[in-house]
Amino acid sequence: MVKAERVRKHFGRVEVLKGVDLEVMPRTVMCVVGPSGSGKSTFLRCINHLEQISGGRLWVDGELVGYRQRGGKLYELKEKEVAQHRRDIGMVFQRFNLFPHMTALGNVVEAPVQVRGANRADARRRGLELLERVGLGERCDMYPSQLSGGQQQRVAIARALAMDPKLMLFDEPTSALDPELVGEVLDVMRGLAEAGMTMIVVTHEMGFAREVGDQLVFMDDGVVVEAGNPRDVINSPQHERTQAFLSKVL
């Protein structure tokens, strides 16, 4: 579903990604861990072209991200073409970014109607189903200010699912939540994994990575330091940098 070859990204003179190679198979969950500033979130944003890569190649479902290749040369896609590809990739951020003037249901319905041209009545029915799926069916008419952080994040997940994505990206989705609210969001993500959704999750929740992840990637200083089965990496890290990191977070 996702293939990265020597992906690089720099902001001015600062190189944030220094040649990332990764593959994510369909219907699997990859968890990405590492210290702040290691490039995790930047790599995630490159996958749906919120950030333009500076070098290498990146594919989602067999299609180059942000570019078209002709005769060995890359040509950047127009923003409209990029937006069409981005519709198939759901992304959930640290902050919920809900529309404050819309109800939970309104937030979920808006993108399918405005971006995919869905019938509003059909989108509403689908939105209600998704809010039920994330445990918020009874709160569909509430506004973000009336919801807890965990509930808002679950609305954000339902909103992303409303576009019927083939891939879901999670950028530390629980880091802005109070500790007692983390579990309700992770439970929704577990359900998505069990249903076969392909997911890349940047997280500090090592228990989730161990239980739900099919692959665990440890990044540091813009590169993949170690990758493998989550239990193997967590229980027996091979690289001393991975060992040092895990000794502080476990």
Side-chain angles (χ1 to χ4, degrees):
M1 181 62 74
V2 179
K3 182 178 181 179
E5 287 187 354
R6 303 181 301 280
V7 170
R8 295 180 176 272
K9 173 64 183 177
H10 56 75
F11 297 96
R13 295 182 178 180
V14 179
E15 192 169 28
V16 178
L17 300 177
K18 303 177 180 179
V20 174
D21 293 288
L22 282 177
E23 288 190 5
V24 183
M25 301 304 291
R27 301 178 67 84
T28 65
V29 178
M30 173 184 281
C31 292
V32 184
V33 301
S36 298
S38 59
K40 309 183 302 295
S41 295
T42 298
F43 177 66
L44 214 61
R45 292 173 65 85
C46 287
I47 292 174
N48 63 358
H49 208 59
L50 289 176
E51 297 290 352
Q52 183 178 345
I53 64 175
S54 306
R57 299 284 192 277
L58 190 54
W59 292 265
V60 172
D61 200 21
E63 295 187 357
L64 274 172
V65 174
Y67 297 92
R68 180 180 293 108
Q69 186 166 329
R70 292 177 184 165
K73 291 186 178 181
L74 290 182
Y75 298 89
E76 188 170 2
L77 297 178
K78 296 179 180 178
E79 181 56 35
K80 186 176 181 179
E81 295 173 294
V82 172
Q84 287 178 335
H85 289 179
R86 194 179 286 142
R87 294 187 308 183
D88 295 325
I89 304 173
M91 188 160 185
V92 178
F93 300 87
Q94 296 178 37
R95 295 292 174 180
F96 326 121
N97 299 321
L98 299 178
F99 294 118
H101 64 289
M102 292 184 179
T103 63
L105 181 58
N107 270 278
V108 175
V109 166
E110 191 68 9
V113 171
Q114 298 297 333
V115 178
R116 289 197 181 276
N119 175 276
R120 185 167 289 275
D122 292 339
R124 181 180 172 85
R125 282 192 292 271
R126 171 69 170 153
L128 287 170
E129 291 174 1
L130 289 169
L131 287 172
E132 286 283 355
R133 183 175 178 180
V134 300
L136 292 173
E138 296 180 354
R139 291 176 169 81
C140 63
D141 293 326
M142 290 187 174
Y143 290 87
S145 62
Q146 298 172 302
L147 300 172
S148 70
Q151 290 168 342
Q152 290 185 63
Q153 191 64 295
R154 284 187 279 157
V155 173
I157 293 173
R159 178 180 59 184
L161 292 174
M163 294 293 285
D164 293 319
K166 61 182 69 172
L167 169 68
M168 284 285 286
L169 309 175
F170 292 87
D171 188 7
E172 299 188 20
T174 61
S175 64
L177 301 178
D178 291 333
E180 66 267 23
L181 302 178
V182 169
E184 62 189 50
V185 174
L186 294 181
D187 285 344
V188 171
M189 294 169 63
R190 284 189 184 92
L192 293 179
E194 291 169 0
M197 175 64 72
T198 308
M199 299 160 59
I200 304 178
V201 184
V202 172
T203 184
H204 294 296
E205 302 292 339
M206 302 305 296
F208 176 86
R210 188 201 305 266
E211 297 167 20
V212 181
D214 297 293
Q215 188 175 9
L216 180 65
V217 171
F218 172 64
M219 289 184 65
D220 187 34
D221 196 27
V223 299
V224 174
V225 176
E226 189 166 344
N229 179 280
R231 290 177 178 82
D232 293 340
V233 174
I234 292 172
N235 295 334
S236 303
Q238 300 300 302
H239 196 282
E240 61 180 16
R241 183 65 188 91
T242 315
Q243 295 169 8
F245 175 78
L246 291 176
S247 70
K248 295 176 182 177
V249 300
L250 292 177

